[in-house]
Amino acid sequence: MEMLAENCFIQTLNLSNNELRTQGAEVLCRMLPLNISLKCIKLAGNKLINSDAAFFDDVLSSNFRISELDLSYNEFGNKGAEFLGHMLANNESLERLNLSWNQIQTQGAVALSAGLRINITLKVLDLSCNGFGNEGALAIGETLKYNNTLLELNLSTNHINNEGVSNLCKGLDVNDNVKFLYLNNNPITVEGALRLLEVMQKNEKTNLEKISIQNVLVNENFMELLKGITNNRPQFQIEIRGVGGFVSGGRTHRLDPMKVIQDYLDKRKLRLSDFFRNMDKAGNMSVPVSDFRRALQQFNIPLDLIQVEELINKLDKENTGAIDYRKLVDTRNQMIQAHREQLRKEETRQRNEKQKTQRVLKTFRSAIKAITPRGSTVISSSQVKLPDIHPLKSSSSRHLSATPLSLWHRVVVSSSTRHSAPTLSSVQVHRQLSYSSKTPLVPAARLGSSPWTHSTSQPKMVPKSRVHSLSCPSVISNAERAPVSRSSPATSLHILQATPLREMKTKN
């Protein structure tokens, strides 16, 4: 990291599958403000935990050079995703982000979705092999209604079923930017696959070119619908497992035979006793099994052979060869009670799902409001300190502004004079750095952290000998600092560098 602080040529840093852990993440993030060339960082499989994400949030919220970041196969979880969601809301350079295999579930999915909704640069996002579930898919779907930069989204292996696909499609129905969507290894059936094709029909402006659901078996109806879509959009392709009608449609659901009989009687306004008397010629309220089976066929009751045998086994459990009217009534009452219980469970399930959806959307809206970047909304500090790049010494500390999702609804609005940092896409800042093996690196201060100016903006490399520091830096008061527009980067950039007070007294 000491080497990279001075190096101005290396653009890709791949430290995947090592043992960086927390200390390595701290040292790396201390180096990034000093480096001027890195564009791609890969840190997969380094056992980074949730609190380590705070360092990336702090440095990448104001670093506008890194365009690709791979943090896959780590252990950020929901709390780490909250910091990364805050980073996405403020970053203006990332184009590719890989967060696969990070144990991110619903709460983290909402945080990432909130940041993605505000982000204006990210094009490729890999969230595979996490635990988003249907609620996480709902948050992503809400984000896709507004995000207009994302081109590729990978949600494979995230416990998303047909309901989650429907939640996701609410955003795809209006999104006109996403080209590639990956939903492999999710518990999706042909119903979810059909819902994805409906997006192609409903949204005339959709830009989808490829959908991957490689584990899903579809049926003939799906293939016919797909054929009609590809005739109008020949570039569209969808990856499936194959066609297998019965398997893809699932097991056929058979109604309770007693309910079929009751529905038959209700339709014709008949009573069960009247129905039984038509079979009971002897009038002893008992009929042979053969007569009962024959009567069901004569009355044209819509029961197949399997349902008839199932009903007879319930009515004649002792194999007496006869069916008693009282057993028929008891079976009917049990059916009605079971049907009511089933309806009650379904109503409870739907009510719980609705409440859960409302909670997710409420949290999502609160997160959006809380992480509005660099405006008058100031998020309370989490007081996470970032140590010096040198692992043994610490000369300063920096505080992060990310707030845990659980506290996002408590946003403090302030009249602070904070201003947004301009994009450094075409600006290279060079500082004269000289270190000894015993001198720790002193990190560059964040924009707006000090009134002392020290650098100049130059589009190309400049030899170190031509870079001079100001011996008598001028003081810029807070009132003189003009806010820099987020959408209109300044043509001339002044980097504000912290100068220790004791050094200024010495110079004076």
Side-chain angles (χ1 to χ4, degrees):
M1 294 310 146
E2 292 180 355
M3 176 273 293
L4 287 174
E6 295 193 60
N7 185 281
C8 55
F9 299 101
I10 296 175
Q11 296 185 3
T12 300
L13 174 65
N14 190 344
L15 295 174
S16 299
N17 302 313
N18 284 286
E19 293 282 342
L20 297 188
R21 299 179 183 263
T22 298
Q23 186 179 18
E26 294 172 349
V27 174
L28 184 143
C29 289
R30 180 58 64 194
M31 173 274 300
L32 287 180
L34 306 178
N35 180 274
I36 63 173
S37 60
L38 280 177
K39 294 182 178 180
C40 173
I41 299 178
K42 298 182 180 181
L43 301 173
N46 272 286
K47 298 183 179 179
L48 304 179
I49 58 177
N50 49 20
S51 59
D52 299 339
F55 305 125
F56 295 97
D57 172 26
D58 186 52
V59 69
L60 294 181
S61 291
S62 59
N63 183 299
F64 304 108
R65 294 182 299 275
I66 306 300
S67 61
E68 181 176 354
L69 180 63
D70 184 356
L71 296 174
S72 59
Y73 290 89
N74 285 295
E75 303 172 9
F76 286 125
N78 289 332
K79 293 184 179 179
E82 293 171 12
F83 285 108
L84 296 176
H86 182 265
M87 179 269 293
L88 280 177
N90 290 276
N91 182 273
E92 295 181 357
S93 64
L94 272 180
E95 296 183 359
R96 303 177 68 92
L97 177 62
N98 189 344
L99 293 176
S100 60
W101 290 93
N102 264 291
Q103 305 173 17
I104 302 174
Q105 299 179 351
T106 300
Q107 185 177 351
V110 172
L112 288 174
S113 300
L116 182 61
R117 185 182 186 275
I118 301 176
N119 184 275
I120 58 174
T121 59
L122 196 67
K123 296 179 180 179
V124 179
L125 179 60
D126 189 347
L127 298 170
S128 60
C129 301
N130 285 290
F132 276 36
N134 297 334
E135 292 74 27
L138 174 64
I140 292 289
E142 289 296 312
T143 291
L144 293 180
K145 293 180 180 179
Y146 302 95
N147 182 281
N148 58 0
T149 58
L150 192 66
L151 299 177
E152 180 177 324
L153 176 62
N154 192 338
L155 290 173
S156 300
T157 319
N158 265 285
H159 307 293
I160 298 174
N161 58 23
N162 295 336
E163 181 182 351
V165 170
S166 181
N167 293 336
L168 184 64
C169 288
K170 292 177 182 178
L172 294 174
D173 284 338
V174 297
N175 184 281
D176 59 356
N177 199 69
V178 174
K179 289 186 177 182
F180 307 99
L181 177 63
Y182 299 90
L183 293 170
N184 300 314
N185 301 319
N186 283 301
I188 302 172
T189 65
V190 67
E191 287 79 9
L194 286 170
R195 180 66 181 90
L196 290 170
L197 289 187
E198 289 179 5
V199 173
M200 306 297 298
Q201 289 184 320
K202 291 182 178 181
N203 188 0
E204 296 180 355
K205 297 182 180 180
T206 183
N207 202 28
L208 276 172
E209 296 181 4
K210 180 180 179 180
I211 298 177
S212 183
I213 45 175
Q214 296 180 356
N215 62 303
V216 179
L217 282 168
V218 299
N219 56 16
E220 295 179 357
N221 293 336
F222 177 92
M223 299 305 297
E224 292 179 1
L225 182 59
L226 178 61
K227 183 178 179 180
I229 292 174
T230 52
N231 288 338
N232 299 327
R233 303 173 185 267
Q235 77 281 2
F236 175 71
Q237 58 177 317
I238 184 167
E239 297 179 347
I240 57 175
R241 181 180 177 183
V243 180
F246 179 78
V247 176
S248 62
R251 183 177 178 181
T252 303
H253 177 68
R254 297 181 183 276
L255 293 175
D256 189 320
M258 195 65 231
K259 187 177 187 310
V260 175
I261 295 176
Q262 187 63 48
D263 292 342
Y264 173 86
L265 297 176
D266 292 341
K267 186 176 181 180
R268 289 160 178 77
K269 298 181 180 180
L270 297 174
R271 296 179 299 180
L272 185 61
S273 58
D274 298 332
F275 170 71
F276 195 82
R277 286 194 184 96
N278 291 328
M279 296 181 288
D280 185 16
K281 305 300 181 182
N284 55 4
M285 303 304 289
S286 178
V287 296
V289 171
S290 57
D291 292 346
F292 183 79
R293 185 183 288 110
R294 191 181 306 112
L296 294 177
Q297 297 176 355
Q298 290 176 352
F299 293 146
N300 294 323
I301 298 178
L303 293 173
D304 57 29
L305 294 177
I306 297 178
Q307 289 174 309
V308 171
E309 294 302 322
E310 180 183 346
L311 179 60
I312 291 175
N313 290 334
K314 287 183 179 179
L315 298 175
D316 187 23
K317 295 182 179 180
E318 293 81 9
N319 294 323
T320 60
I323 296 178
D324 189 270
Y325 174 71
R326 289 171 297 181
K327 292 185 178 180
L328 186 63
V329 173
D330 292 341
T331 303
R332 192 267 308 270
N333 293 338
Q334 293 174 5
M335 178 274 300
I336 293 175
Q337 184 177 0
H339 181 63
R340 289 175 179 173
E341 183 65 23
Q342 183 178 1
L343 291 177
R344 187 160 47 250
K345 289 182 178 179
E346 181 63 20
E347 291 176 356
T348 302
R349 186 192 67 81
Q350 292 180 358
R351 184 169 58 254
N352 292 338
E353 288 294 333
K354 184 177 180 179
Q355 293 175 352
K356 187 183 297 182
T357 298
Q358 291 175 346
R359 287 196 300 269
V360 171
L361 292 177
K362 183 178 180 180
T363 305
F364 179 75
R365 287 190 292 266
S366 299
I368 290 293
K369 184 178 179 181
I371 64 176
T372 301
R374 305 185 185 93
S376 60
T377 302
V378 181
I379 303 176
S380 57
S381 174
S382 60
Q383 303 299 319
V384 181
K385 296 183 179 181
L386 194 65
D388 189 82
I389 183 172
H390 198 285
L392 300 179
K393 297 181 180 181
S394 177
S395 60
S396 64
S397 63
R398 296 165 67 184
H399 301 278
L400 303 178
S401 58
T403 301
L405 188 62
S406 58
L407 302 177
W408 273 2
H409 64 282
R410 290 180 288 198
V411 182
V412 180
V413 179
S414 172
S415 58
S416 172
T417 58
R418 293 186 183 181
H419 58 268
S420 61
T423 303
L424 303 181
S425 57
S426 61
V427 180
Q428 291 180 335
V429 182
H430 303 275
R431 301 176 56 217
Q432 186 170 5
L433 304 173
S434 60
Y435 306 105
S436 64
S437 59
K438 299 181 180 180
T439 303
L441 294 179
V442 180
R446 178 179 289 187
L447 292 177
S449 61
S450 172
W452 310 109
T453 63
H454 174 74
S455 188
T456 170
S457 102
Q458 305 181 55
K460 296 182 180 180
M461 279 303 300
V462 179
K464 290 184 179 181
S465 60
R466 295 178 59 187
V467 181
H468 305 285
S469 61
L470 301 177
S471 58
C472 298
S474 58
V475 177
I476 302 177
S477 64
N478 289 337
E480 293 174 324
R481 295 176 189 167
V484 182
S485 172
R486 178 186 176 99
S487 59
S488 302
T491 56
S492 180
L493 176 66
H494 294 283
I495 302 298
L496 305 181
Q497 177 189 356
T499 302
L501 184 61
R502 60 178 180 276
E503 294 184 14
M504 291 306 304
K505 292 181 178 179
T506 302
K507 291 181 181 179
N508 291 337

